Amino acid sequence: MKKLLLFVFLPIFAVSGFSYWYIPRKIKTILRQKLNKVVATRGFKLNKLDISLGWNSIELEDIELQGENLRITIKEIKVDTYQLTSILPLKIKLGKITLNNTGIKGDIKELKHKSSNFKTPTYSGGSISWNKIALNGLWLNISSKQGKIVCEDGNGQFTKKEGGEIQLENVALDSRLIPVYFINTLNLEISPDRKVKRATMKELTWNLSKKMKLYTGYVELEPDKNQNISFLVTGKILPELGKIKTHGNWNHSSGKLSGKVLLSNLKPGSFLPEVLPLPKKENIQIDSSFKFVFSPKLVSIKGTGSVDKLRIYHKLISTLPLEFKKLNSKFALSYDRNQDKLQIENLEIEHKFARALVKGKITNLKSKKPMVATWIEIPKIHCNRLKDSIPAGLIPHLSQFKLAGSLHSKIRAKVNFADISKKTIELGGSIPIENCNVLKAPPYFRSSRIKKDFDFEIIEPGGQSIVVEVSRYSDWFAPLDQISKYMVKAVLTTEDSRFWRHRGYIPSEFSSALARNLEAGKFKWGASSITMQIVKNVFLKRRKTIARKLEELFLTSYIEKNISKSRLMEIYLNIVELGPDIYGVTKAAMHYFGKSSANLSVREAIFLASILPSPKKRYRYYCRGKLSSFWKRHLKYLLGVMKRRKHITEEEYQQAMEEELQFDHFNFRGKHNCYRKIRKYTGN
């Protein structure tokens, strides 16, 4: 009987002992080997691990993984159930795996792994299978070359059949790649093959500048099988600087980013550079909707937009700010990265009643000296409507004019900043200002004012106020027929050769003036005709601004229509500045040569014309009592021009060449006082 009982129960005891001693030990070994294998494939080493095995559960505690510069700690891993599906070989099926209090800290240089598609390894001594993993209490503090990420709390879950998700909360970023520095909630949807299906982020804060932050309530990224990532971003710019919504697609393999952006109530003032001439830029408001494409070869933008309360001020533009209540625009731009070319395919700007259509291209953008070519068209518009559409600061004196007629303008320009010269600069087209007729003008600007006796005030650079009279009762006035014919021909030679033929200005001269101004790097030459000089001195101030030049062009056309050429020449010769406090040829002839303007010789007349347009500066010849050798050669050249243009005869030319200028120093008070007079009136 004893033998029978021993024979029956001994195998049971043996199996029970085997199960109690061998199987738990084998399970622990397999778990440890598996973890070592998994972490090794990711470049880590398992430093610490405690395994506790119960009848129905498994607990792993104080797990520590060490990488090159990265450390991962897991306080606890719980397996709620496990099941032996085979003893020989030993196969274990795990229930739900929960990771509690996981921390990742350190620097990421390069994670080394054998395969990007992780697979559970199988061992000859047994295997482990699992279906579901849960993650609780994840925290991160990771640095890399691209920046730093810190997360206070995270959780997630994953199943082999359905995939899962990971949610991180209170994520702080310090990245060189993107300006996002805080994400309240980051949610990653994971597919069964362990790829990110969708990433959604809520309450993001972007650091756009010191004064402006972008708050996006929702961001969505969704990759597909073709390495495309679709995105959706909605948010607002803080503090209360506008709203933004954008959606589109990014292809990782091609590097192409495309989409659409909607901006509403955007106030860009706080991040616009201080160097821009935009006073009260905090009031500027932009609304825009545009499509964009960014690729390694091409960038393109196409859309519409509006700018409210735009205010521009620069001393070279106008003495007054330019105010645009609302500017509307349509635009289509592209930039070829390979050719370094910006193409303005279409740009339409609308303000009040007027529209401007712009096309053009800019090449060699990366260099400091690009090539610019542009075409501008102002479609046909009534002159009065055009005037009302231009900001008052740009035409301050013309706002009270009432106009008739219509204008259709086309302008083309081409400038190569690598080779600036009159030959390389192209400026063409037409601005037919003469099509605009004045129905009503303010009294001061009426052409009838200068048909009769008048006077005007000049403020010198030194601050002196001088009243110039053009009146038959003035001691210094001379009618045109009492002024030397050589003086008339001299100013035609140096100042305005086409005076008797043009209608106020010569368009081709603007190309030359533009080239000289670009070479000088400042607004110095204005291609002023004789009529334009009259308008500038009699009606306008001497400030060199774009606004003054625009008004000058309009008033010149107006004056030319209503005043005869002979009267204009008479006015010019009686008001032209020929030295400090010397206005008009009558006073100049008496001051320099002690004679009347009617008796000026050819050489004396060409000398007076030659000191234009800098008579104060060249007054030093009078102070010295003689001309420099350079200026003598210059006068010789001008006399040759007069002869070629048949302003003087051969005999008159020879007489002028032989003549020596003799300055009249009857009232001369010495060189010191003479130079002091120059400094006084120039403000130096």
Side-chain angles (χ1 to χ4, degrees):
M1 187 64 181
K2 291 180 179 180
K3 291 182 179 181
L4 179 62
L5 291 172
L6 184 63
F7 177 78
V8 172
F9 288 103
L10 185 60
I12 295 173
F13 292 144
V15 171
S16 298
F18 175 81
S19 301
Y20 180 78
W21 176 81
Y22 172 77
I23 293 177
R25 187 173 181 179
K26 188 65 174 177
I27 291 174
K28 290 182 180 182
T29 302
I30 292 174
L31 285 171
R32 192 177 296 275
Q33 289 177 346
K34 175 180 280 295
L35 284 172
N36 272 314
K37 184 68 175 178
V38 170
V39 301
T41 60
R42 301 297 173 182
F44 288 90
K45 180 181 179 182
L46 184 61
N47 285 344
K48 189 177 179 182
L49 174 65
D50 292 331
I51 302 176
S52 299
L53 191 66
W55 287 106
N56 295 315
S57 63
I58 302 174
E59 291 188 8
L60 291 76
E61 297 180 341
D62 299 326
I63 301 102
E64 183 179 302
L65 310 177
Q66 185 64 51
E68 184 177 351
N69 292 292
L70 195 66
R71 181 170 173 262
I72 301 176
T73 59
I74 307 173
K75 182 67 176 176
E76 178 184 67
I77 300 177
K78 286 187 175 182
V79 182
D80 60 352
T81 61
Y82 69 92
Q83 181 181 354
L84 299 178
T85 57
S86 172
I87 295 179
L88 294 173
L90 188 63
K91 294 184 179 180
I92 307 168
K93 183 178 181 181
L94 303 180
K96 181 180 178 181
I97 303 171
T98 303
L99 285 73
N100 294 320
N101 197 6
T102 301
I104 305 175
K105 185 176 182 180
D107 296 326
I108 297 178
K109 290 187 177 180
E110 182 180 357
L111 293 180
K112 301 176 182 179
H113 53 84
K114 295 180 180 179
S115 172
S116 59
N117 296 320
F118 169 73
K119 296 180 180 179
T120 304
T122 301
Y123 303 92
S124 59
S127 65
I128 296 176
S129 62
W130 58 275
N131 181 56
K132 186 175 183 179
I133 293 179
L135 181 67
N136 297 323
L138 173 66
W139 60 271
L140 306 172
N141 191 337
I142 302 172
S143 300
S144 70
K145 291 181 179 180
Q146 286 73 38
K148 185 177 182 179
I149 178 171
V150 176
C151 173
E152 295 181 0
D153 188 25
N155 58 76
Q157 59 181 9
F158 180 83
T159 63
K160 286 187 173 181
K161 291 184 179 181
E162 298 178 358
E165 66 176 2
I166 296 175
Q167 187 177 76
L168 303 178
E169 296 183 357
N170 300 327
V171 180
L173 297 173
D174 183 7
S175 173
R176 296 186 180 93
L177 300 178
I178 55 174
V180 176
Y181 75 90
F182 183 79
I183 304 173
N184 189 50
T185 303
L186 169 61
N187 193 74
L188 302 175
E189 294 183 28
I190 313 297
S191 64
D193 59 352
R194 301 176 181 85
K195 294 180 179 179
V196 177
K197 290 196 314 183
R198 181 184 291 106
T200 57
M201 290 161 272
K202 297 180 180 179
E203 299 181 20
L204 290 79
T205 307
W206 308 61
N207 199 15
L208 300 182
S209 72
K210 292 181 179 180
K211 297 181 180 180
M212 188 180 73
K213 293 176 173 50
L214 170 64
Y215 170 82
T216 50
Y218 183 78
V219 175
E220 181 180 309
L221 305 175
E222 187 171 355
D224 62 16
K225 296 179 181 179
N226 299 319
Q227 294 188 311
N228 291 314
I229 298 177
S230 60
F231 60 87
L232 170 64
V233 178
T234 60
K236 58 184 179 180
I237 301 171
L238 302 176
E240 300 300 327
L241 296 178
K243 296 180 180 180
I244 183 172
K245 182 177 181 180
T246 178
H247 61 86
N249 182 77
W250 180 61
N251 185 274
H252 178 68
S253 60
S254 67
K256 181 180 178 181
L257 176 68
S258 60
K260 186 175 182 179
V261 175
L262 177 64
L263 298 172
S264 56
N265 301 323
L266 177 64
K267 296 179 179 178
S270 59
F271 64 90
L272 292 174
E274 293 294 333
V275 295
L276 294 178
L278 301 172
K280 296 187 177 181
K281 59 184 179 180
E282 66 276 4
N283 295 332
I284 298 173
Q285 183 172 300
I286 297 176
D287 293 279
S288 182
S289 174
F290 59 89
K291 296 179 180 179
F292 64 88
V293 176
F294 292 90
S295 70
K297 294 182 178 180
L298 186 70
V299 176
S300 66
I301 300 175
K302 183 178 182 180
T304 62
S306 67
V307 182
D308 291 351
K309 300 178 181 178
L310 177 62
R311 186 181 173 101
I312 300 173
Y313 174 76
H314 193 284
K315 63 181 181 180
L316 293 181
I317 298 176
S318 175
T319 57
L320 300 172
L322 311 186
E323 296 184 0
F324 300 86
K325 187 175 181 181
K326 187 169 186 177
L327 278 174
N328 295 315
S329 66
K330 296 179 182 179
F331 49 86
L333 313 173
S334 64
Y335 174 66
D336 190 313
R337 298 178 188 266
N338 292 335
Q339 297 183 18
D340 190 22
K341 179 176 72 174
L342 174 65
Q343 188 80 33
I344 305 173
E345 298 165 9
N346 178 54
L347 175 60
E348 181 177 332
I349 302 172
E350 180 181 305
H351 184 244
K352 294 184 179 179
F353 311 110
R355 290 187 303 138
L357 310 178
V358 182
K359 293 185 179 182
K361 61 181 179 180
I362 305 174
T363 55
N364 302 323
L365 257 178
K366 294 178 181 178
S367 71
K368 295 182 179 180
K369 297 180 179 180
M371 168 81 80
V372 180
T374 184
W375 299 263
I376 303 173
E377 178 181 1
I378 299 176
K380 187 176 181 180
I381 183 174
H382 191 280
C383 293
N384 217 50
R385 286 200 157 202
L386 177 61
K387 179 206 59 157
D388 293 340
S389 299
I390 299 173
L394 201 56
I395 50 171
H397 300 104
L398 304 186
S399 58
Q400 298 179 43
F401 277 72
K402 186 176 180 180
L403 308 177
S406 60
L407 181 145
H408 182 192
S409 178
K410 292 183 180 181
I411 306 169
R412 66 180 186 278
K414 186 176 181 181
V415 180
N416 183 1
F417 286 90
D419 181 20
I420 295 175
S421 68
K422 184 178 178 180
K423 294 182 179 179
T424 59
I425 289 181
E426 298 178 18
L427 191 62
S430 64
I431 307 177
I433 302 175
E434 62 274 7
N435 292 350
C436 297
N437 299 311
V438 175
L439 299 179
K440 183 180 179 181
Y444 185 80
F445 292 95
R446 289 175 187 166
S447 59
S448 58
R449 175 178 160 231
I450 63 173
K451 285 184 177 180
K452 53 188 179 181
D453 295 347
F454 69 95
D455 59 51
F456 63 96
E457 182 186 29
I458 291 176
I459 304 298
E460 295 284 5
Q464 299 82 6
S465 173
I466 297 175
V467 175
V468 179
E469 291 185 70
V470 181
S471 169
R472 52 194 164 171
Y473 301 109
S474 170
D475 293 336
W476 300 116
F477 175 79
L480 184 60
D481 58 4
Q482 293 180 24
I483 297 174
S484 168
K485 64 178 182 179
Y486 301 129
M487 192 67 233
V488 174
K489 294 176 179 179
V491 295
L492 291 176
T493 301
T494 62
E495 294 297 290
D496 192 346
S497 62
R498 303 181 195 176
F499 171 75
W500 301 110
R501 302 191 301 275
H502 65 58
R503 292 180 292 181
Y505 51 85
I506 306 170
S508 61
E509 290 296 319
F510 293 118
S511 296
S512 177
L514 177 60
R516 295 172 73 185
N517 287 328
L518 290 174
E519 284 180 313
K522 56 184 177 181
F523 191 17
K524 191 174 181 180
W525 290 275
S528 293
S529 65
I530 283 177
T531 312
M532 291 172 73
Q533 292 181 54
I534 294 172
V535 167
K536 175 184 68 175
N537 289 306
V538 175
F539 295 104
L540 303 172
K541 303 298 181 183
R542 289 185 169 186
R543 300 183 185 96
K544 291 184 177 180
T545 64
I546 294 174
R548 195 215 72 195
K549 182 57 68 174
L550 290 175
E551 290 190 315
E552 192 178 298
L553 287 170
F554 174 80
L555 290 172
T556 295
S557 176
Y558 167 55
I559 293 299
E560 282 272 346
K561 288 180 181 178
N562 294 279
I563 305 296
S564 67
K565 287 285 188 178
S566 58
R567 173 60 174 168
L568 289 173
M569 179 60 77
E570 182 179 78
I571 293 172
Y572 177 74
L573 293 176
N574 278 280
I575 69 170
V576 61
E577 183 186 16
L578 292 167
D581 195 18
I582 303 172
Y583 287 88
V585 296
T586 301
K587 191 173 184 178
M590 185 60 65
H591 179 82
Y592 284 100
F593 307 114
K595 61 174 66 174
S596 69
S597 58
N599 295 323
L600 288 170
S601 67
V602 174
R603 193 171 187 85
E604 290 167 342
I606 199 62
F607 167 76
L608 292 177
S610 74
I611 63 176
L612 300 172
S614 303
K616 292 187 184 77
K617 179 181 177 182
R618 290 161 187 164
Y619 188 70
R620 65 180 184 271
Y621 295 128
Y622 176 78
C623 296
R624 295 173 186 170
K626 61 179 180 179
L627 302 181
S628 66
S629 57
F630 169 78
W631 209 252
K632 288 180 179 179
R633 290 194 298 272
H634 182 56
L635 292 185
K636 181 179 178 181
Y637 165 76
L638 292 177
L639 288 169
V641 174
M642 291 184 75
K643 186 181 74 168
R644 287 197 300 274
R645 294 178 180 175
K646 298 183 178 180
H647 290 323
I648 55 176
T649 64
E650 177 66 30
E651 182 181 356
E652 290 170 330
Y653 170 74
Q654 292 298 334
Q655 289 177 353
M657 290 294 291
E658 295 173 2
E659 182 184 353
E660 286 290 335
L661 284 181
Q662 297 293 328
F663 291 122
D664 178 56
H665 279 173
F666 180 76
N667 293 316
F668 190 65
R669 296 181 180 179
K671 290 184 179 180
H672 177 74
N673 288 324
C674 191
Y675 286 123
R676 187 170 64 178
K677 187 177 182 180
I678 296 175
R679 292 192 296 271
K680 176 182 176 182
Y681 282 89
T682 56
N684 295 325

